[in-house]
Amino acid sequence: QVQLVESGGGLVQPGGSLRLRCAASRRAISAFHIGWFRQGPGKEREYVGTISRTGVTLGYADSVKGRFTISRDNPKNTVDLQMNNLKPEDTALYYCAASTTIGMTAPSEYRYWGQGTQVTVSS
């Protein structure tokens, strides 16, 4: 089992940036491929991007390509989501999730989830 905790969310103006962090405990985060997901108001949970155990970013949702970047620091047991040029439509509860299968994009394919961190983009 692995426990995941997201942090770094907050209120930011359009065009601003935030860095979210996913920290693991109980198990080394290096044992898992990590996905980022988000759920906006009145919307279903959607895929943001994934990174492999060894740090290869496998893909991003079209809505965030060119603006968001996933990275990991396995010795620190962390995976980060750098979000730039934020838009109001990025407002959502952001989750990190862990899987032993690489490249999964559906929420149902991830076994372990953090509690989420809220990102609100508003002027």
Side-chain angles (χ1 to χ4, degrees):
Q1 301 183 55
V2 62
Q3 183 174 356
L4 304 175
V5 177
E6 303 94 336
S7 62
L11 177 64
V12 65
Q13 294 184 336
S17 298
L18 283 175
R19 186 185 71 181
L20 306 184
R21 175 157 290 178
C22 176
S25 60
R26 296 186 181 179
R27 295 280 305 279
I29 203 166
S30 61
F32 301 94
H33 312 288
I34 300 296
W36 283 95
F37 296 83
R38 66 186 184 184
Q39 188 164 13
K43 300 179 180 180
E44 295 184 348
R45 191 168 299 183
E46 66 176 350
Y47 163 78
V48 173
T50 62
I51 190 167
S52 77
R53 289 178 57 200
T54 57
V56 178
T57 301
L58 300 172
Y60 296 96
D62 288 342
S63 59
V64 306
K65 285 180 180 178
R67 299 188 298 120
F68 290 12
T69 302
I70 303 172
S71 61
R72 70 189 302 158
D73 189 338
N74 285 338
K76 294 182 179 179
N77 279 327
T78 59
V79 173
D80 287 0
L81 177 65
Q82 178 66 47
M83 305 185 295
N84 298 324
N85 304 123
L86 284 162
K87 305 174 181 179
E89 50 264 45
D90 294 319
T91 295
L93 187 63
Y94 283 73
Y95 299 90
C96 63
S99 176
T100 55
T101 303
I102 193 169
M104 300 294 99
T105 59
S108 62
E109 296 168 324
Y110 285 78
R111 182 173 182 178
Y112 305 105
W113 293 81
Q115 83 290 346
T117 186
Q118 180 66 40
V119 172
T120 302
V121 184
S122 177
S123 60

